Amino acid sequence: MQYRPVAINLADRPKASQCHDCGARHIGLCGALSDDDLALLTRVAQSIAVAAGQLLVDEGAPAAHFFNINRGTVRLFKSLPDGRRQITGFMGVGQFLGLKVTTQPPAGAVYAFGAEAIDDVQLCRFGRAGLISALEDFPALEHRLLAVASDELVAAQDQMLLLGRKTARERLASFLLAWAAQTHHLPADAIHAGAALAVPMTRTDLADYLGLTIETVSRTLSQLRRDGLVAIHGAHEIALLKPREIAAIAHNLAG
Amino acid sequence: MQYRPVAINLADRPKASQCHDCGARHIGLCGALSDDDLALLTRVAQSIAVAAGQLLVDEGAPAAHFFNINRGTVRLFKSLPDGRRQITGFMGVGQFLGLKVTTQPPAGAVYAFGAEAIDDVQLCRFGRAGLISALEDFPALEHRLLAVASDELVAAQDQMLLLGRKTARERLASFLLAWAAQTHHLPADAIHAGAALAVPMTRTDLADYLGLTIETVSRTLSQLRRDGLVAIHGAHEIALLKPREIAAIAHNLAG
DNA sequence: CGGGACTTTGAGCTTTCTCAACGATGGTGG
DNA sequence: CCACCATCGTTGAGAAAGCTCAAAGTCCCG
């Protein structure tokens, strides 16, 4: 059974026409827009619920939409024909989704990744053509999109370093810090000790994200626990007891 | 000694004010601009020569410029304090460089990567502030930049799949195809059999790009040669004898 | 022609993977 | 309400891909 952290309260589902209620109103892409601009954008937006485990974006399908996540967590991935899978990122509240497309001469833009809901997800869906034409009227939106793309590129470089050159222990340490920072909307060096970290993804997800096997993820987490660096409460909650030491492992520092 | 594929002819160095002469005039970013627009852009551009092996961009330094490569090949990389290095990409003629920056509250934008010239490189350098303000006047340029960023994101996902989930043999096959496609400005399925491929980078570069050691790169290339898939002439020229079979290995296909 | 840097090949080792069994957890139906 | 069952996670033992250490070979370039 998929992990479901909270029951969805149907009464407070954000509607695209009610952006001011939305948990993502002031972060990410929407945070860059004025109320007036946002009101115009809602013309091309729909609010959509996606249940845990459901496919949201199919790799290779025509890219018809952009998405903005308002609740829950999404995994992005690429697959090989024999079933090997690489998760390329986890997207949370406020994050924008859909830039990674390839333009193929006959078919037009197709998604270069798959996306699935890890837990129950609520998101805004924008028609691709509509949003792109809206860029003409909102240069601030395009600036913001470029900034989003730039941030994702930086994160992608970091992940390449992790996948190409880090040990299993370093990978887990890097992930825990980065995930805590992303979850709490904080810089990685501002994580405070002992705070509980929700980890909605399964061990299989972690393995496919970190380029390891599920067994190595499990063993390495157990080792971090034995070393007193983390506390593990069930499979989906981890407390970072010593963030500085975890950071030292992640970034290969002396301390 | 660094590899130097051709002597630089000093007489035909492109100047920013002579874009029409430039080898990159009709590809990449500049290809998206009219002659008139380009003429305006040259205000913020300088033509720069960088010798093989020279550092072009220092990771963590303030991001003062964007670059566009007119000749030669550049490696982008990230490093760990103990010397481990991950090359995140190789940039060739016509490619644009400098989007991958992190904005740090006190310092402003800093480069999130290092860059070095692999062979002798000729490039256009744009003042960052100047180019960004130019975006106001040239929305087409910003569209193009977003498209460049999107393409790089797609390539980054592919590389994560390679680093996280592919075998050494699959990594080399993937690299050879992708490099041939990039070099010849062709789609990967249009590589023709037997064509010589210039590989200016060293085995160490390949290892640091593919998440392997230099020995594994060498052994795996030798194996591809023994299997009749490639021909190796010296260290820096490889002919793809059977591109289809190489593609089958790279993408884990049945054929 | 000599020497340094780069590449190739070999042998043994280590990290991580694979295969297997056991344990925990949470939802479901009796 | 509790026992069952499926799924997920943990731990162990052996195997393997790729790494490390070492030595010989090659290629430039002076």
Side-chain angles (χ1 to χ4, degrees):
Chain A
M1 189 59 205
Q2 284 289 334
Y3 171 65
R4 290 163 182 265
V6 289
I8 294 283
N9 178 349
L10 296 179
D12 72 2
R13 281 189 183 178
K15 294 192 179 56
S17 54
Q18 306 180 324
C19 292
H20 57 280
D21 286 348
C22 175
R25 170 63 187 94
H26 296 291
I27 53 180
L29 204 68
C30 298
L33 298 174
S34 70
D35 283 339
D36 289 348
D37 288 351
L38 203 59
L40 294 169
L41 249 196
T42 59
R43 289 179 195 164
V44 290
Q46 294 173 280
S47 185
I48 305 267
V50 181
Q54 289 297 107
L55 193 68
L56 213 133
V57 168
D58 194 16
E59 184 177 353
H65 301 99
F66 292 107
F67 305 88
N68 204 57
I69 300 174
N70 300 329
R71 183 201 292 273
T73 307
V74 167
R75 58 177 166 251
L76 310 189
F77 58 90
K78 291 189 67 87
S79 299
L80 251 13
D82 65 1
R84 280 175 285 173
R85 181 180 72 157
Q86 179 65 36
I87 291 182
T88 57
F90 298 112
M91 310 288 274
V93 172
Q95 291 194 280
F96 182 79
L97 187 54
L99 283 175
K100 284 165 278 193
V101 299
T102 39
T103 305
Q104 298 179 343
V110 302
Y111 293 116
F113 61 95
E116 287 169 352
I118 290 179
D119 43 24
D120 290 321
V121 164
Q122 190 70 32
L123 48 80
C124 269
R125 198 175 77 171
F126 303 91
R128 190 171 184 84
L131 188 61
I132 287 175
S133 70
L135 293 182
E136 309 295 338
D137 303 323
F138 305 118
L141 192 60
E142 186 152 24
H143 290 353
R144 189 78 201 111
L145 236 42
L146 197 53
V148 166
S150 173
D151 289 348
E152 285 197 34
L153 276 171
V154 171
Q157 315 294 306
D158 288 342
Q159 191 67 1
M160 285 186 219
L161 177 62
L162 180 151
L163 292 169
R165 288 296 179 228
K166 289 188 182 179
T167 65
R169 188 177 170 87
E170 291 165 346
R171 293 181 199 204
L172 263 299
S174 298
F175 163 75
L176 288 172
L177 272 187
W179 181 243
Q182 179 176 333
T183 300
H184 300 144
H185 299 282
L186 282 174
D189 56 3
I191 309 298
H192 46 285
L197 177 63
V199 181
M201 53 290 269
T202 65
R203 295 293 184 265
T204 301
D205 286 336
L206 289 184
D208 285 349
Y209 181 57
L210 298 175
L212 300 169
T213 59
I214 167 177
E215 295 94 332
T216 299
V217 169
S218 184
R219 273 189 257 271
T220 306
L221 277 175
S222 295
Q223 188 195 327
L224 292 176
R225 173 174 46 70
R226 271 182 249 112
D227 294 343
L229 300 177
V230 305
I232 300 176
H233 306 108
H236 297 288
E237 189 187 313
I238 300 179
L240 308 191
L241 300 180
K242 299 182 179 173
R244 310 300 287 269
E245 291 188 35
I246 295 171
I249 294 169
H251 305 116
N252 184 236
L253 305 174
Chain B
M1 188 61 202
Q2 284 289 334
Y3 172 66
R4 289 163 182 267
V6 290
I8 294 283
N9 178 349
L10 295 179
D12 70 4
R13 281 190 183 178
K15 293 193 179 57
S17 54
Q18 306 180 323
C19 292
H20 56 281
D21 286 347
C22 173
R25 170 66 186 91
H26 296 291
I27 54 180
L29 205 67
C30 298
L33 298 175
S34 71
D35 283 339
D36 289 349
D37 287 351
L38 204 58
L40 293 170
L41 250 195
T42 59
R43 289 180 195 163
V44 290
Q46 293 173 279
S47 185
I48 305 267
V50 182
Q54 289 296 107
L55 192 68
L56 212 132
V57 168
D58 194 17
E59 183 176 355
H65 302 99
F66 292 106
F67 305 89
N68 204 58
I69 300 174
N70 301 330
R71 183 202 291 274
T73 307
V74 168
R75 59 176 164 252
L76 309 189
F77 58 90
K78 291 188 69 88
S79 299
L80 253 12
D82 65 1
R84 280 175 286 172
R85 180 180 73 156
Q86 179 65 37
I87 291 183
T88 56
F90 298 112
M91 311 289 274
V93 172
Q95 291 194 280
F96 182 79
L97 188 54
L99 284 174
K100 284 165 278 192
V101 299
T102 39
T103 305
Q104 297 178 345
V110 303
Y111 293 117
F113 62 95
E116 287 169 353
I118 289 179
D119 44 23
D120 289 322
V121 164
Q122 191 70 33
L123 49 80
C124 268
R125 198 175 78 171
F126 304 91
R128 190 173 184 81
L131 188 61
I132 287 176
S133 70
L135 294 182
E136 309 294 338
D137 303 323
F138 304 117
L141 193 60
E142 187 154 23
H143 290 352
R144 190 77 201 111
L145 235 42
L146 197 52
V148 166
S150 172
D151 289 348
E152 285 197 34
L153 276 170
V154 171
Q157 315 295 305
D158 288 343
Q159 192 67 2
M160 286 186 219
L161 177 62
L162 181 151
L163 292 170
R165 289 294 179 231
K166 289 189 181 178
T167 64
R169 187 175 170 88
E170 290 165 347
R171 292 180 201 205
L172 263 299
S174 299
F175 163 75
L176 289 173
L177 273 187
W179 181 242
Q182 179 176 332
T183 300
H184 299 145
H185 299 281
L186 282 174
D189 54 4
I191 309 296
H192 47 284
L197 178 62
V199 181
M201 53 291 268
T202 66
R203 295 292 183 265
T204 301
D205 287 336
L206 288 184
D208 286 348
Y209 181 57
L210 299 176
L212 300 168
T213 59
I214 166 178
E215 294 93 334
T216 299
V217 168
S218 183
R219 272 188 258 270
T220 306
L221 277 176
S222 296
Q223 187 195 325
L224 292 175
R225 172 174 47 70
R226 270 182 251 114
D227 295 345
L229 300 177
V230 305
I232 299 177
H233 306 107
H236 297 288
E237 189 187 312
I238 300 179
L240 308 190
L241 300 180
K242 298 182 180 174
R244 311 300 286 269
E245 291 188 36
I246 295 170
I249 294 169
H251 305 117
N252 183 236
L253 305 173

